[in-house]
Amino acid sequence: MIGRLSGTIVAADAEGVVIDVNGVGYVVGVSTRTLAGLPPPGSAATLAIETMVREDAITLYGFLDATERAAFRTLLTVQGVGAKVALALLGAFSPGQIAAAIATSDAKTLTRAAGVGARLAARLVTELKGKPGFTGTEAIPAAVTVPVPPTDPLLADAVSALANLGYRRAEAEPALAAARRRLGDGATVEAMIREGLKALAR
């Protein structure tokens, strides 16, 4: 089983990253938060890895640190949460923010993650409350507050993701709105976040 990869990032997009380790390119799925925290292609990087083995595939998921990987593993223990939803949650919120929402039974906040409806959010709170890593004892806010989103649901999700990365809504929303216009009908939350981060880095 692969638990860690250190190498050079060859490519990175919303689908994940390709990291070259001694001439072998590993395709690794990552959350938008992890993607934003990685250096650009051509740079060295290290990822904590979760290996998932199925009859027809071996899939790697990468994380910036062991804490995020542990949160991913714990999220997967909830019925109805697969790797895609777990990554969506970790893209929208840090492990500490998820812990805060669970500790305060704030299921509504968790619905801000793509693919998480009210029922699943309620199940996350019920099943994870008191579990290691989700006890709410970390140095985190007492609750996760989510501002009133823009009318456009895609834009709302993208703004929320960048706000959770530490960007102010006042700077994130114009950059993402411009990205939304440029991308047009083909816009996705991941593409908007990627374009927005590029604009904010200038």
Side-chain angles (χ1 to χ4, degrees), residues 17 34 46 66 106 121 123 139 149 202:
V17 301
T34 294
T46 297
D106 186 6
R123 193 181 306 138
R202 291 171 188 165

Side-chain angles (χ1 to χ4, degrees), residues 12-97:
D13 57 30
E15 299 301 316
V17 301
V18 178
I19 183 167
D20 183 290
V21 182
N22 298 324
V24 178
Y26 293 87
V27 179
V28 183
V30 297
S31 70
T32 52
R33 179 182 292 271
T34 294
L35 184 64
L38 289 173
S43 304
T46 297
L47 288 171
I49 299 294
E50 180 70 6
T51 305
M52 298 185 70
V53 181
R54 295 180 179 174
E55 290 185 3
D56 58 345
I58 298 176
T59 309
L60 305 179
Y61 296 98
F63 309 92
L64 294 176
D65 54 45
T67 299
E68 189 179 28
R69 181 176 60 189
F72 177 78
R73 289 172 175 171
T74 303
L75 288 168
L76 291 179
T77 65
V78 178
Q79 182 183 0
V81 176
K84 184 176 180 180
V85 171
L87 288 181
L89 281 159
L90 290 168
F93 311 108
S94 69
Q97 289 174 320

Side-chain angles (χ1 to χ4, degrees), residues 107-175:
K108 184 177 180 181
T109 286
L110 298 177
T111 63
R112 299 300 305 140
V116 180
R119 286 186 180 181
L120 182 54
R123 193 181 306 138
L124 283 161
V125 169
T126 301
E127 295 189 20
L128 296 182
K129 202 161 192 176
K131 277 199 172 184
F134 290 98
T135 60
T137 58
E138 296 91 339
I140 52 178
V144 180
T145 57
V146 178
V148 177
T151 303
D152 185 323
L154 287 178
L155 180 57
D157 286 343
V159 170
S160 178
L162 288 196
N164 287 318
L165 287 174
Y167 290 94
R168 293 182 296 108
R169 286 179 61 84
E171 62 180 352
E173 191 166 336

